Amino acid sequence: MPVNVILGLQWGDEGKGKIVDYYSRDAELILRATGGNNAGHTVVIDKTTYKLHLVPSGLFENNKVGILGNGTVLDLAVLCKELNDLKQRNNGSVVFVSGKAHVIMPWHKHFDVSTETKSGDKKIGTTGRGIGPAYESKANRSTAIRIYDLTTKERFAKRVTEVFQLLKPRLQETAFDKSVESILSEMEPLRLQIAPLVIDSVAFVQPFIEQNKLILVEGAQGALLDFDHGTFPFVTSSNPTIGGIFTGTGVSHKHVKQVIGVTKAYCTRVGAGPFPTKLVDADGEYLQVNGNEFGTTTGRKRDCGWIDLVALRYACQLNGVTEIALTKLDVLSGLKTIKAAVAYKLPNGETTSVFPEDTTVLSSVEPIYRDFPGWSEKLEPNFEMLPNNAKEFIRTIEKYTSTPITLISTGPERKQTITR
Ligand code: IMP
């Protein structure tokens, strides 16, 4: 049995939670590879809404095993709360944590918020969860604290004290008001809860592979927020694209069968940065309200716009997407005309269908749209029964991205899912 990967193809918030839950039924192991509690994954089961930030979305079925991979950065308080919620569900599903994952310390959150992560004078508009500063520590190594450091009280105290000493000038300069002692005592119950869950995740995964068990890897954020390939500097600090899946879990590429890319039927973005198809009119308002487009993590209102097939094709190429899961098709119902960007007009007047990787250029493109007549009929749970206009819209996305759409979501519930 293979490894299947589920990735976001836009700026995050594509509805990956529901898709992971859907595919998790056949899987035994579900891994998170990158990011931290900047992610917010929503799963709706029988009218109950679950919001997850760290624990994989695929653990609602019985007896699943979840792993937070080495590529993640973990806020222990958030993790412990989600582990307690999982325990309450009492369905036999469990979570383990890679010892090579990194810890988000209170000062990481403080740096993210107090100094506002910026590029020049421009704010990135981060989630304020300490993600960038935690990855910064990982990259500089000297101020990094790994999950392995939680294994004994003494080891953790020694490491936290060392790092605190190193960071002292920056902590003083930014008026960080906690002492090492208070941090250690606040974190001790969290350390005690996490320590027994620490694993060597690369070794842990091997028997699942050898025994042909289906493994799912749950992506966080989306391709356009990728640290390398996204709209830099308005990106997150990890790689939500396919490469991050391998470095963030240690699972080998050779086992991957399906790369399922998730996209909304329109686009949204939170935080700063270019968004060529953004709407500031009644249609944008319609998508925002009808799609309930508020951030799961920060509650911020998401900007909304038309689907961008230039960006989507780029994300499919980048990730080697084998099939697309199209979400929130129902949100478009009722619009008279629906648009999809099929090319960009560049500042020099030329037209391109290639996604400009220079963010400055991307900020000044003008989308060229194809119009589709809308539909108002109810969306039946069967592709052939969808309104012809919806089918035409779906087929155009497939044509433009050269990728089949094998799953269509028409609402938050599990049963509002069409497979082809
Ligand atoms: P950070 O990941 O908190 O550093 O935020 C960097 C950028 O990524 C900001 O624009 C955030 O709004 C955005 N971002 C991070 N995580 C998510 C997510 O899960 N969904 C949507 N946007 C996100």
Side-chain angles (χ1 to χ4, degrees), residues 288-301:
Q288 202 274 324
V289 172
N290 219 20
N292 191 25
E293 295 295 351
F294 291 95
T296 312
T297 298
T298 57
R300 291 179 291 180
K301 219 176 184 179

Side-chain angles (χ1 to χ4, degrees), residues 240-389:
T241 48
I242 193 78
I245 297 300
F246 303 123
T247 51
T249 60
V251 170
S252 165
H253 67 92
K254 77 176 179 190
H255 304 298
V256 171
K257 187 165 171 226
Q258 290 171 292
V259 180
I260 303 151
V262 188
T263 176
K264 276 181 193 163
Y266 51 98
C267 268
T268 61
R269 175 161 208 174
V270 270
F275 179 179
T277 61
K278 176 174 155 180
L279 293 168
V280 283
D281 59 7
D283 287 338
E285 178 81 6
Y286 186 90
L287 296 173
Q288 202 274 324
V289 172
N290 219 20
N292 191 25
E293 295 295 351
F294 291 95
T296 312
T297 298
T298 57
R300 291 179 291 180
K301 219 176 184 179
R302 296 176 185 142
D303 289 331
C304 297
W306 300 119
I307 194 164
D308 183 340
L309 299 184
V310 180
L312 191 63
R313 184 167 60 182
Y314 167 73
C316 286
Q317 290 167 341
L318 200 53
N319 287 305
V321 170
T322 58
E323 53 207 272
I324 291 176
L326 181 72
T327 61
K328 292 195 142 180
L329 184 67
D330 53 304
V331 175
L332 299 183
S333 298
L335 284 164
K336 206 156 164 275
T337 304
I338 293 161
K339 292 175 191 262
V342 291
Y344 294 152
K345 193 169 163 206
L346 294 166
N348 65 7
E350 284 174 16
T351 299
T352 183
S353 54
V354 176
F355 188 73
E357 63 172 24
D358 181 349
T359 306
T360 309
V361 176
L362 184 68
S363 305
S364 53
V365 300
E366 219 180 278
I368 298 170
Y369 289 111
R370 173 167 163 195
D371 288 7
F372 297 82
W375 59 84
S376 49
E377 300 95 310
K378 189 167 168 275
L379 299 179
E380 300 294 342
N382 174 311
F383 182 76
E384 290 315 321
M385 287 163 76
L386 286 177
N388 283 334
N389 292 345

Side-chain angles (χ1 to χ4, degrees), residues 123-348:
K123 287 183 198 163
I124 308 287
T126 72
T127 58
R129 301 300 189 258
I131 306 297
Y135 279 116
E136 187 187 328
S137 286
K138 178 176 175 177
N140 75 25
R141 290 148 291 165
S142 52
T143 61
I145 297 181
R146 299 214 293 183
I147 292 291
Y148 272 132
D149 293 316
L150 302 174
T151 41
T152 67
K153 188 174 180 180
E154 296 68 33
R155 178 171 169 178
F156 189 54
K158 182 168 177 285
R159 186 64 193 142
V160 171
T161 309
E162 276 166 6
V163 172
F164 193 86
Q165 282 308 322
L166 258 178
L167 286 173
K168 219 166 202 172
R170 190 169 168 194
L171 294 170
Q172 275 166 355
E173 197 186 309
T174 56
F176 182 73
D177 61 1
K178 288 188 178 183
S179 64
V180 181
E181 294 71 30
S182 69
I183 291 172
L184 286 172
S185 81
E186 239 170 60
M187 292 184 78
E188 181 55 13
L190 308 173
R191 190 196 67 75
L192 280 170
Q193 190 174 344
I194 304 300
L197 309 178
V198 178
I199 54 163
D200 168 344
S201 59
V202 177
F204 189 95
V205 168
Q206 299 316 310
F208 287 83
I209 292 175
E210 281 153 22
Q211 291 162 31
N212 268 338
K213 307 237 166 104
L214 180 66
I215 298 173
L216 267 194
V217 187
E218 168 175 340
Q221 288 82 44
L224 304 177
L225 286 174
D226 187 274
F227 192 41
D228 286 82
H229 298 291
T231 52
F232 194 89
F234 306 102
V235 292
T236 192
S237 308
S238 63
N239 290 111
T241 48
I242 193 78
I245 297 300
F246 303 123
T247 51
T249 60
V251 170
S252 165
H253 67 92
K254 77 176 179 190
H255 304 298
V256 171
K257 187 165 171 226
Q258 290 171 292
V259 180
I260 303 151
V262 188
T263 176
K264 276 181 193 163
Y266 51 98
C267 268
T268 61
R269 175 161 208 174
V270 270
F275 179 179
T277 61
K278 176 174 155 180
L279 293 168
V280 283
D281 59 7
D283 287 338
E285 178 81 6
Y286 186 90
L287 296 173
Q288 202 274 324
V289 172
N290 219 20
N292 191 25
E293 295 295 351
F294 291 95
T296 312
T297 298
T298 57
R300 291 179 291 180
K301 219 176 184 179
R302 296 176 185 142
D303 289 331
C304 297
W306 300 119
I307 194 164
D308 183 340
L309 299 184
V310 180
L312 191 63
R313 184 167 60 182
Y314 167 73
C316 286
Q317 290 167 341
L318 200 53
N319 287 305
V321 170
T322 58
E323 53 207 272
I324 291 176
L326 181 72
T327 61
K328 292 195 142 180
L329 184 67
D330 53 304
V331 175
L332 299 183
S333 298
L335 284 164
K336 206 156 164 275
T337 304
I338 293 161
K339 292 175 191 262
V342 291
Y344 294 152
K345 193 169 163 206
L346 294 166
N348 65 7

